[in-house]
Amino acid sequence: MADLKNYRPMYILDPYKGTDFRGEWPTIPEMFKISVKRCPDRPCFIDFAEDGSKRSFSYTDVQKHVLKLAGFLIENGLAKGDKVAVTGRNSPEWGTVFLATLFAGGIICPIDWALSTDLQENLLAAAQPKFLFVDEDKYEHYESSQIPYELYSLSPKHSGRYVYKLEPKVDHPLPSADLEDTAAILFTSGTTSKPKGVMLSHKNLVSDCYSAQDNMKLYQTDVFYNLLPIHHAYTMQAAFIEPLSVGAAIVFGKSLSVSKIMADLKNGEVTMLLGVPMLFNKFAAGIQKGIKNKGPAAYGLIRLLMGISYTIKKLTGSNPGKKMFASVLKQANLSTVRIAISGGGPLDKNVFKFFNEMGIDFVQGYGLTETSPIVALNPVEHFKIESVGSYFAKHMEMKIDKPGADGVGEICVRGPMVMQGYYRMSDETAKVIDGEGWFHTGDLGWLDSEGYLMLSGRAKNMIVTSGGKNVYPEEIEDQFQMESAIQQITVQGYTSSESGDIGEGVAEEIEALVYPSDTLYESLSLERKDGEQPDAVQKAVNESISKVNRRLQPYQRITKVTLLDKPLEMTTTLKVKRNYNKN
């Protein structure tokens, strides 16, 4: 870590402390205004249309849009602490709404654009925003609905209410935000009647932003690819707030199609590629296929060179692979990528190693929405392939609570990035943040002598898919309450790996453990027998699963069904204990 040993992420703020901000950290508006001062003409927001045409807004351009929209919101009734909801694909307009809300003293409430309008409305009912900004695909729905908030558009199709057409009639003074003010509320999927909202303050988000830079150098010349949904804490922090903090550019990706991603990477000359395991698995598989197509001799030689490249990198910290495999990386449109970061799910170690062998500084991190979200990140100069990274010891604390003989225990975090709490759920907050300020993650792991975190298990219930989506078992299980074929159902994650090939990866998918009902057996005129599940029972259960799957989001759908011979143990409150062991 020699390159980072004496590196101070906040050095760029030194000339502005005491004048442009007075707290320990700047607020998000203060942080952005400093970047505008430092890099007024550098590109800030970039996107590409389907025909390849490019829009590019400088930091000065973005500030003008933000100030106009902030003034408009205030003129139309937004008071400090009021909420603004935004839902839509990643875009400069989305980013403008985010910043303008905070400049106006409001709280931004990002909503997953892929949710059905019913689920979105459940989240909106919880958030109670004064304003809602939506993409064109859902604008007409909300326009025809009786909604208690002002509706505006992220798309120029609705020109009269389009973000970039909104401006105040007169100038309005903007309220100054405090570090402890809530900046964002990030909600769960909305399936339950009381969605859980994570409240993150300016201090939470900005402290996490600069703390993460203890483990990674960022430059104003970097170009970040904002591909994953920006309402997700990982993308919001790592591919939106982080680049804004140093004056870097953001390319907004609008599609997960391979052709669109490849075009964006090439046209945007992306240097910082952030994604989830599923994305990197696809890249690795494609590159690997191209290498194999060169024939056995060429494949063997390249594999040998990759091994040499990796060894040199681990021993010296230098990165020869970038030059050794320049043609391969160019063909994959990865030649400009400086660092690739994977988060949000389990990553195949072979994929991690593969990218480092190819000359791309590839790292992974760890965190939760409740921690803004990053609390550990692998330094590129001293990464450990088996670890999710070292925690930010200069700015936070991490401990392993109640470790066993093997050192494994619950991961706990204390520091400025820990959330304010769950929105209007003080009892839920008290369950995870103890009296000493420790946030109990529910994840299991251990720390090595250098402060690198090794994960040993998932949170007690939550499942994280390979696409980086959080799946809450209870939300799925509740959908089966009226299914007569099923007496008990417990949802859990299972790890699927179709082959040992690089790029196939590790995928955590959704499994249902089902105890068929007595009613089902009676309707089929069958008797239960230990160790036997008749085909008719399996068919009926599968039909129930398929019916519910159609109502769920794609990432929530059950892909594996295990029928149980005996019912699962239950608590005194008639809840199934999640201690099933298939072995």
Side-chain angles (χ1 to χ4, degrees), residues 133-188:
F133 290 82
V134 300
D135 255 351
E136 64 180 71
D137 58 343
K138 289 189 172 71
Y139 185 89
E140 291 181 1
H141 166 82
Y142 286 107
E143 186 179 39
S144 62
S145 303
Q146 292 184 342
I147 53 177
Y149 31 79
E150 292 291 324
L151 178 67
Y152 295 96
S153 176
L154 299 176
S155 166
K157 180 179 179 181
H158 306 282
S159 59
R161 289 182 169 263
Y162 175 47
V163 171
Y164 289 158
K165 297 291 186 180
L166 306 177
E167 55 183 287
K169 295 176 182 177
V170 297
D171 290 336
H172 297 275
L174 301 181
S176 59
D178 296 321
L179 279 174
E180 300 299 337
D181 287 346
T182 302
I185 300 177
L186 307 186
F187 286 97
T188 58

Side-chain angles (χ1 to χ4, degrees), residues 127 242 257 387 431 486:
E242 289 282 1
S257 73
S387 171
K431 291 178 183 178
I486 295 174

